Amino acid sequence: MLKNTLILPETDARLAADLLEDAVATLDVVLMLVLGKTDREAEIVKAADQLCNKTQTADGNLRQVIWIRRLDTVSMRDALGALLGPGGLPNVAVLNFHDEVKARISSTDDVRPLNLELAFVKGHQV
């Protein structure tokens, strides 16, 4: 069961983009965006969700995973372009508390839990 992951809907592109914008607007959380819906991304999401448990507090969590499974809509491409900048999309991106991209993992990079944790740690840096 995923406790720290928001899975964006695939059938309503506008809702998915709105949910992404709302998640990014949350000021007290480091976000790990996982893009795609292959088995690889499913494993990344599962591992990242478990890593979020490390920062669980009585008031909430300092980390959250956003799983973006559908990337081919105009509204999602626009939202991701505004967040991640120009160029190709990474497989994983980590945003800090100020919505700055602090880590990127491409589809060819190793995604062991240690590498995901290091990406989260970069997100906690100012």
Side-chain angles (χ1 to χ4, degrees):
M1 173 188 261
L2 300 173
K3 298 186 318 183
N4 304 297
T5 300
L6 172 62
I7 302 172
L8 297 184
E10 294 182 65
T11 56
D12 190 336
R14 186 69 243 155
L15 176 60
D18 288 344
L19 289 170
L20 177 61
E21 287 179 25
D22 289 346
V24 170
T26 304
L27 299 176
D28 58 349
V29 67
V30 170
L31 294 177
M32 180 174 283
L33 308 178
V34 181
L35 289 68
K37 65 177 185 176
T38 67
D39 290 342
R40 180 177 195 262
E41 285 87 20
E43 289 301 315
I44 292 170
V45 167
K46 182 178 175 184
D49 188 85
Q50 291 173 352
L51 290 170
C52 289
N53 291 331
K54 291 181 167 194
T55 57
Q56 184 69 43
T57 67
D59 297 327
N61 200 319
L62 299 176
R63 297 175 176 178
Q64 184 177 18
V65 179
I66 309 294
W67 192 3
I68 305 166
R69 298 180 300 174
R70 185 162 182 205
L71 306 170
D72 63 342
T73 64
V74 172
S75 55
M76 187 53 68
R77 285 279 181 188
D78 290 346
L80 290 172
L83 277 176
L84 305 177
L89 294 175
N91 202 202
V92 175
V94 174
L95 305 177
N96 70 1
F97 297 114
H98 305 289
D99 305 331
E100 300 166 333
V101 178
K102 289 296 188 173
R104 290 175 178 260
I105 298 174
S106 74
S107 59
T108 58
D109 291 336
D110 187 11
V111 289
R112 289 177 292 150
L114 177 60
N115 293 343
L116 296 174
E117 177 62 22
L118 291 172
F120 265 133
V121 168
K122 288 180 183 176
H124 288 281
Q125 298 170 348
V126 180

